[in-house]
Amino acid sequence: MISDEWERFRSWHLLFDRLCRLRGYPENAALASALCRQLGRSGEKDFQAAEKNLRSWRRGRRIPLRRNAAILARLLDVETDPVLKRMWNKTYRALQDGDEGGRTTDLDCEAPAADSIAPSRPATLSPRMALLLSATLPFGLLAAVGLPGLTVSDVVSIDTAKLPTVAYNARAFLSVGTEKLIHGAVEGCDGGPSEWAAIVDHLPTSETGIFADGGLATKMMNGCGKEMVVRAVRFIAIRPGVEELKVLNAYFKIEVTSASIKPGQGL
């Protein structure tokens, strides 16, 4: 779209919807996944709430909180076009000022604000999902939590025997509602585990699930020639499908089946 054409938009939701389509988000699933990553949310209900919010925002039924609008602007590269940025801010201010019928933000249906969420917060699971996870995941994975801000000396004092292990497998099989540690990152061969905030923006967008902070784990780092404590990358399966992704320079083929089909049996 020619930059000056953004000036014809007088409603924020119409501009937002048009921008989503231009940026490759005709549907809400991929953008909801990216939004959840930015907010540090990893539960199935969080993803569903994000999709619901996006539908409402694109239809003009509700207004996103200012912090969430800022995240959306970053995800959609609003800053790259001065005219787009000006119209984005102008139309959003009009919503807040009530110039478009006095609509107010529906806080009950709003995704939590970014600065109110700890990145390592574990997923919120229904009893059914917890039962599925307990039957399919290694012991202790459900209790894994992130420990940000660790120094190398802190890592040395950690009992690695109590940490889960990430074993690289280029093919990951999951069913909807389950999760798996698929990768891990460190700050160099002589450093500690990466901070989640340092790697989240480098993760791809998935059509079948959400990437979340997997906390601390151990992983054999072939490039360093040793097993290390890493920041684990957790994949949570949301919907059936097969996709190929590059996660922190590692190739993965991820297959997610419906809950009624066992992973590996095909879609």
Side-chain angles (χ1 to χ4, degrees):
M1 174 177 287
I2 299 174
S3 180
D4 292 344
E5 292 185 8
W6 292 116
E7 293 184 337
R8 66 183 175 85
F9 287 93
R10 293 293 180 265
S11 297
W12 181 85
H13 76 279
L14 295 177
L15 184 151
F16 175 51
D17 181 68
R18 177 60 172 158
L19 184 58
C20 286
R21 296 177 187 278
L22 287 176
R23 296 293 192 254
Y25 298 110
E27 305 295 335
N28 293 317
L31 187 56
S33 177
L35 181 60
C36 284
R37 287 209 314 271
Q38 292 295 320
L39 292 172
R41 302 304 293 246
S42 57
E44 181 185 14
K45 290 183 179 179
D46 298 316
F47 176 80
Q48 293 173 347
E51 277 197 309
K52 180 179 178 181
N53 285 341
L54 285 168
R55 285 195 299 271
S56 297
W57 298 338
R58 293 175 74 162
R59 294 172 182 173
R61 294 178 177 175
R62 297 189 179 92
I63 306 169
L65 293 174
R66 184 161 49 191
R67 293 188 182 92
N68 287 343
I71 293 174
L72 292 171
R74 185 166 64 249
L75 291 172
L76 297 172
D77 296 326
V78 171
E79 295 280 344
T80 60
D81 187 325
V83 177
L84 170 59
K85 178 182 177 181
R86 176 165 57 82
M87 294 307 298
W88 174 279
N89 293 334
K90 180 179 178 180
T91 54
Y92 184 75
R93 282 196 301 270
L95 288 176
Q96 291 187 311
D97 294 340
D99 292 346
E100 292 191 22
R103 290 192 302 273
T104 57
T105 304
D106 188 339
L107 296 179
D108 291 336
C109 296
E110 178 66 68
D115 61 357
S116 68
I117 303 167
S120 59
R121 181 174 177 173
T124 301
L125 299 172
S126 65
R128 178 175 178 272
M129 290 303 176
L131 180 61
L132 282 170
L133 288 173
S134 64
T136 58
L137 296 181
F139 176 77
L141 180 55
L142 287 174
V145 296
L147 298 174
L150 291 175
T151 64
V152 176
S153 59
D154 293 328
V155 173
V156 172
S157 64
I158 294 176
D159 184 0
T160 58
K162 297 181 179 180
L163 296 178
T165 297
V166 180
Y168 173 71
N169 190 331
R171 301 192 68 184
F173 298 96
L174 302 94
S175 59
V176 172
T178 64
E179 58 184 66
K180 185 177 184 179
L181 299 183
I182 65 171
H183 205 5
V186 294
E187 297 293 338
C189 293
D190 296 321
S194 298
E195 295 285 353
W196 179 248
I199 64 176
V200 63
D201 287 336
H202 301 286
L203 296 173
T205 297
S206 169
E207 297 287 346
T208 61
I210 297 174
F211 293 102
D213 186 352
L216 298 184
T218 59
K219 184 177 186 295
M220 181 62 193
M221 305 299 289
N222 293 329
C224 300
K226 58 183 177 181
E227 185 179 70
M228 300 180 66
V229 177
V230 301
R231 172 66 55 185
V233 176
R234 180 164 45 118
F235 184 81
I236 303 170
I238 296 296
R239 56 165 52 94
V242 179
E243 59 184 338
E244 297 182 6
L245 299 171
K246 193 172 184 180
V247 182
L248 301 179
N249 295 319
Y251 165 84
F252 289 91
K253 182 173 183 179
I254 298 176
E255 179 178 346
V256 178
T257 65
S258 63
S260 61
I261 302 175
K262 294 182 180 179
Q265 290 185 341
L267 295 175

